[in-house]
Amino acid sequence: VPGDKSMSHRTVMFGALAEGTTTATGFLEGQDALCTVQAFRDMGVVIRGPKQGRIEIDGVGMHGLKAPENVLDMGNSGTSIRLLSGLLAPQAFDSVMTGDFSLQKRPMGRVTTPLALMGAVIDSEEGKPPLAIKGGQRLKGIHYEMPMASAQVKSCVLLAGMYAEGRTSISEPATTRDHTERMLRGFGYAVECENDVISLQGGGALKATSLDIPADISSAAFFLVAASIAEGSDLTLEHVGMNPTRAGVITILTLMGADIEVLNEREVGGEPVADLRVRSAPLTGIEIPEDLVPLAIDEFPVLFIAAACAEGETVLTGAEELRVKESDRIQSMADGLVTLGVNAVATDDGIRIQGGEIGSGEVESFDDHRIAMAFSIAGLKASGPITIKEANNVATSFPNFIELMNSLGGNFYEV
Ligand code: S3P
């Protein structure tokens, strides 16, 4: 399974701002991470690769970025535009960031609001991209109580905080992925976490490092569900990132009755990693505990397919954030499931899915990579073929998805 998307983005961002050359293996060569690479190239950073997962970044130091000549295109990547907002707001130069049709519909007020409190000057299209950032502002540290559980917002504020005067601190309504905190420490920048308040002092520096990026648990999730629902499967996924802020999918599938063994647990570069052995097992519907939602936030599309194959009802609540992902993932999944004959009802903050038979049919991907991959997994159990429209977007996070699935006996092809 290819490398972690969140860590790949941060490797480029922190490597670019570090002193010295950062090297990484396991880098995700998906479109999203490549947008971050291109953005830093556009700001004068020399980056070799990625090639076969290896990348080298010649850091320019905290103040070494150059003004980009053109608008920075973040493609489909919410992580790129939101984290870069925090890094670009304190730069000496002006910059403009935009993205594709999906990104242009996503809310950016969640990052521009705290950045404005720090003194940043950013214009948007009514809270959506493009974002025009005015350079030359002196930011000051703030304490920010995040209104939503979002690692992108937390990271944006922390990254701006590295350039701000004084201390920047954050508290989040629920724990979200902590790759920014862990990786900043790995690059030698002190980040404290006390009584659930995360903070750092402005004015520090990053030092180049070398990283071994684990396989993305969000990509592994498609195989965890595939092997659980396809009878007779016995599959081992190697070197999967098991950061506790990301591993909610394993807890949820286990609660549903999945047979997942966590083997060979170890730590690689400050991140827990393990091999996951998954064998097919009958699944049962559950009420998904709300505290697991942020820990499995990207895995719900494929978890809904597990729910459609389970016996009984699965109920998800407290997941309104799913409505502002690459697509409205509650509606996208509910529409497709209903097309396939599954009893699925979208609610404001979640979904109710009655497990049963999955029929065949044609579903929309809504230009969302995880929706496309989730419905392809449904095909393993469907009564006939499932056609997914506009599925090229799979390359956003998982360029070799189809090859890998077919190497395990899948029958996925382009039409
Ligand atoms: C990410 C955070 C999450 C996640 C996204 C990657 C990150 O987004 O959905 O795929 O790398 O920080 P939110 O912060 O919007 O929850």
Side-chain angles (χ1 to χ4, degrees):
V1 176
D4 189 273
K5 180 158 77 71
S6 292
M7 293 179 67
S8 295
H9 282 299
R10 287 159 174 83
T11 298
V12 178
M13 294 177 190
F14 303 166
L17 297 174
E19 281 150 26
T21 297
T22 290
T23 56
T25 52
F27 188 86
L28 170 67
E29 291 171 49
Q31 291 302 329
D32 266 22
L34 295 178
C35 282
T36 297
V37 168
Q38 188 56 47
F40 281 92
R41 283 192 175 129
D42 291 350
M43 293 188 283
V45 179
V46 173
I47 300 173
R48 289 174 292 281
K51 204 172 169 200
Q52 290 170 339
R54 188 181 163 84
I55 191 165
E56 291 180 8
I57 305 137
D58 291 343
V60 294
M62 295 298 283
H63 299 281
L65 294 179
K66 297 203 175 75
E69 278 176 22
N70 294 309
V71 172
L72 298 168
D73 183 2
M74 299 306 168
N76 194 241
S77 177
T79 309
S80 306
I81 196 167
R82 295 207 179 106
L83 270 59
L84 270 169
S85 304
L87 285 180
L88 293 179
Q91 300 298 327
F93 51 81
D94 296 349
S95 52
V96 180
M97 287 189 288
T98 191
D100 69 6
F101 182 69
S102 151
L103 195 66
Q104 284 182 36
K105 288 194 293 193
R106 296 183 66 187
M108 296 298 142
R110 54 181 57 202
V111 289
T112 57
T113 299
L115 289 174
L117 293 172
M118 298 176 84
V121 180
I122 304 178
D123 269 343
S124 68
E125 285 290 326
E126 294 177 3
K128 310 234 160 96
L131 299 180
I133 300 177
K134 181 110 197 69
Q137 313 300 318
R138 273 195 67 79
L139 303 193
K140 54 181 188 309
I142 54 166
H143 173 72
Y144 191 59
E145 308 254 345
M146 280 172 27
M148 73 289 286
S150 163
Q152 292 176 354
V153 175
K154 169 174 67 175
S155 304
C156 167
V157 175
L158 286 175
L159 298 186
M162 294 196 297
Y163 289 88
E165 204 181 299
R167 217 166 168 79
T168 295
S169 58
I170 290 165
S171 49
E172 36 183 10
T175 304
T176 65
R177 67 188 67 193
D178 64 357
H179 300 300
T180 295
E181 298 91 304
R182 284 178 190 249
M183 288 181 65
L184 282 180
R185 289 187 195 114
F187 278 85
Y189 206 109
V191 181
E192 262 118 67
C193 187
E194 231 173 84
N195 302 326
D196 290 333
V197 175
I198 304 152
S199 68
L200 54 70
Q201 184 71 30
L206 298 172
K207 281 190 261 338
T209 186
S210 64
L211 295 109
D212 176 14
I213 300 171
D216 196 325
I217 192 166
S218 300
S219 299
F222 297 101
F223 293 85
L224 295 176
V225 174
S228 296
I229 64 174
E231 270 156 46
S233 304
D234 182 352
L235 182 66
T236 302
L237 306 165
E238 291 174 338
H239 195 240
V240 181
M242 288 289 285
N243 181 316
T245 62
R246 297 286 302 283
V249 62
I250 295 178
T251 316
I252 294 170
L253 283 173
T254 305
L255 288 171
M256 295 177 81
D259 178 359
I260 302 172
E261 258 184 280
V262 180
L263 305 167
N264 198 11
E265 285 180 86
R266 57 219 186 259
E267 204 173 284
V268 178
E271 290 274 352
V273 167
D275 302 335
L276 302 177
R277 182 174 183 189
V278 52
R279 280 171 281 196
S280 18
L283 302 181
T284 314
I286 58 164
E287 281 188 23
I288 299 174
E290 283 195 13
D291 58 336
L292 293 177
V293 170
L295 313 183
I297 193 69
D298 288 340
E299 289 67 78
F300 284 105
V302 77
L303 282 169
F304 296 170
I305 300 302
C309 298
E311 197 183 314
E313 191 179 47
T314 295
V315 183
L316 174 69
T317 54
E320 50 280 278
E321 276 294 302
L322 291 180
R323 292 203 178 268
V324 290
K325 295 293 177 190
E326 286 84 327
S327 71
D328 173 345
R329 286 185 173 160
I330 292 175
Q331 205 55 53
S332 306
M333 287 304 298
D335 287 357
L337 286 170
V338 168
T339 301
L340 300 175
V342 177
N343 180 350
V345 181
T347 60
D348 285 349
D349 67 342
I351 197 165
R352 308 176 80 88
I353 298 169
Q354 196 67 46
E357 300 288 300
I358 298 182
S360 67
E362 187 171 282
V363 297
E364 300 277 344
S365 74
F366 295 94
D367 238 335
D368 183 333
H369 53 132
R370 297 200 201 279
I371 301 297
M373 288 187 279
F375 281 118
S376 76
I377 301 301
L380 300 173
K381 270 300 225 206
S383 59
I386 295 180
T387 303
I388 300 138
K389 286 161 86 178
E390 283 160 30
N392 285 342
N393 51 43
V394 163
T396 297
S397 64
F398 204 151
N400 59 335
F401 175 72
I402 291 180
E403 290 84 342
L404 211 52
M405 276 293 170
N406 285 343
S407 75
L408 297 170
N411 186 13
F412 298 5
Y413 51 91
E414 279 183 48
V415 286

